Amino acid sequence: MAFVKNNTRRLTECALLTAFAVILDLSSLIPGLGFITILLCALPATYIAMVHGMRYALASTAAAATILSLSYGPHEGLAYLSLFAATGLALGWLARRGSTPATILVGATIVVFISMCLNVYILEALVGIPSSERLADGIKEGLIWMAKEWAALIHSFGWTATATPPASHLASIELFMAAPLTLFLVMAFLVVYANYLAAALVFFRLGLPWEPVPDPRKLQAPKWLAICVVIDLLISTKTYLGTSGIPALIGANILFLGYAVVFLSGLSLVIGMMDRKEIFHPAKRLAIMVVFLGFYTLTIIAGALDSFADFRQLHQE
């Protein structure tokens, strides 16, 4: 994949996109914009790596990380490098090589997974930054915020809903932090997949060559898994997992993986229904995806229901 551009335009684009990446990363500090950051923050690095090459992309991400570190502390710069920079660099480099969409998704997921593990297990020890604690606190804050938003939406229809997530869900985060490899792998895939989808929508409008996302409309969680997740949603405590030790760690990670599969099944349903309703405008599709990414409980319920109702009639094809 070849792109011919003069040096002035190349440097100007890289500088502007570096500043844009910093702004997007900082937007995660604004309540309600965290998921927009997840969807868009890797795009500048993806564009630079794909259009201008890895040398310029590495320089751009390094500059953005330096600005974030000097302004808000080294933890912010490390978080940007381990998640958004790694995602953008991997996506852009693989796309520039002409890799297939499946190869791009798998390769970028592996890169981001390794980057997240390095951030938590190596950089934490070398630099002394409590990355794992910060990540756990961030996940808890995200769950609390989404529970409040979900309750506000339910209340707008005259119904009642709890404005705080179950204490057992928050306690499960502590278990994940003891052995969070499954959590990191799922998070890496979700971030890569979301950014690949966002890149497909944005780059298509810019006229850039970008393969469409692999058909996600046929993903459907098995019924037994949907039943387990729904039962877990209805149970206020998770005493069946235990409170400590290896069984608790294994149970918590398996449970999280089950939630992730049903959640992805719900997103698959959303994408399939948008196609059926002929909602193809990139801005509208992106807005709908942001809603269902934010209200994760709604997406999980939709995925569980689809396992039985088969709204897309997958079993009739």
Side-chain angles (χ1 to χ4, degrees):
M1 186 181 297
F3 297 90
V4 180
K5 295 195 176 186
N6 60 66
N7 287 331
T8 301
R9 182 173 180 179
R10 179 184 291 115
L11 293 174
T12 302
E13 283 189 353
C14 290
L16 291 175
L17 289 172
T18 300
F20 187 48
V22 173
I23 294 173
L24 286 173
D25 185 83
L26 295 179
S27 68
S28 63
L29 303 177
I30 303 175
L33 296 183
F35 283 99
I36 296 178
T37 300
I38 293 176
L39 284 172
L40 300 178
C41 200
L43 282 181
T46 303
Y47 177 89
I48 296 174
M50 184 178 69
V51 176
H52 302 303
M54 284 296 291
R55 182 177 61 175
Y56 292 93
L58 288 171
S60 172
T61 53
T66 301
I67 294 173
L68 291 169
S69 298
L70 293 176
S71 302
Y72 296 93
H75 63 275
E76 197 67 37
L78 290 175
Y80 169 78
L81 285 175
S82 66
L83 189 59
F84 301 122
T87 301
L89 292 173
L91 289 176
W93 181 73
L94 290 170
R96 187 180 178 88
R97 289 171 53 89
S99 303
T100 63
T103 301
I104 294 175
L105 287 176
V106 173
T109 298
I110 294 173
V111 170
V112 175
F113 171 73
I114 295 174
S115 178
M116 293 176 68
C117 291
L118 289 176
N119 183 32
V120 171
Y121 293 115
I122 295 182
L123 293 180
E124 177 176 334
L126 294 177
V127 184
I129 298 174
S131 302
S132 57
E133 295 179 7
R134 185 172 180 272
L135 179 60
D137 292 339
I139 296 174
K140 289 179 181 179
E141 291 175 2
L143 288 175
I144 294 172
W145 174 81
M146 286 186 287
K148 291 181 179 179
E149 294 295 321
W150 170 252
L153 178 64
I154 295 298
H155 289 161
S156 66
F157 290 97
W159 302 330
T160 58
T162 304
T164 57
S168 56
H169 285 197
L170 298 179
S172 297
I173 301 300
E174 301 296 337
L175 291 176
F176 293 143
M177 290 303 102
L181 296 183
T182 302
L183 174 64
F184 287 171
L185 182 61
V186 173
M187 287 179 62
F189 175 77
L190 289 176
V191 171
V192 169
Y193 188 86
N195 278 275
Y196 189 101
L197 180 62
L201 295 174
V202 174
F203 292 169
F204 174 78
R205 302 292 292 183
L206 296 176
L208 294 173
W210 187 269
E211 293 292 331
V213 68
D215 189 359
R217 295 166 295 179
K218 295 184 179 181
L219 175 62
Q220 189 175 69
K223 293 181 180 179
W224 64 267
L225 184 59
I227 292 175
C228 292
V229 169
V230 170
I231 292 176
D232 184 75
L233 282 173
L234 298 175
I235 295 177
S236 58
T237 59
K238 294 182 172 59
T239 54
Y240 56 90
L241 290 181
T243 57
S244 62
I246 299 300
L249 295 177
I250 295 176
N253 280 274
I254 291 177
L255 181 62
F256 181 84
L257 186 60
Y259 267 90
V261 172
V262 179
F263 177 79
L264 291 175
S265 178
L267 286 183
S268 175
L269 172 64
V270 172
I271 295 173
M273 296 306 293
M274 285 193 294
D275 291 346
R276 179 174 297 183
K277 298 297 182 180
E278 298 183 353
I279 302 176
F280 298 115
H281 192 282
K284 293 181 180 179
R285 291 176 74 94
L286 185 60
I288 293 174
M289 290 297 293
V290 168
V291 170
F292 280 91
L293 283 170
F295 298 111
Y296 70 100
T297 304
L298 178 62
T299 309
I300 291 173
I301 293 174
L305 291 176
D306 182 59
S307 298
F308 295 92
D310 194 19
F311 297 114
R312 293 163 288 175
Q313 300 179 343
L314 298 179
H315 298 300
Q316 299 181 17
E317 296 181 357

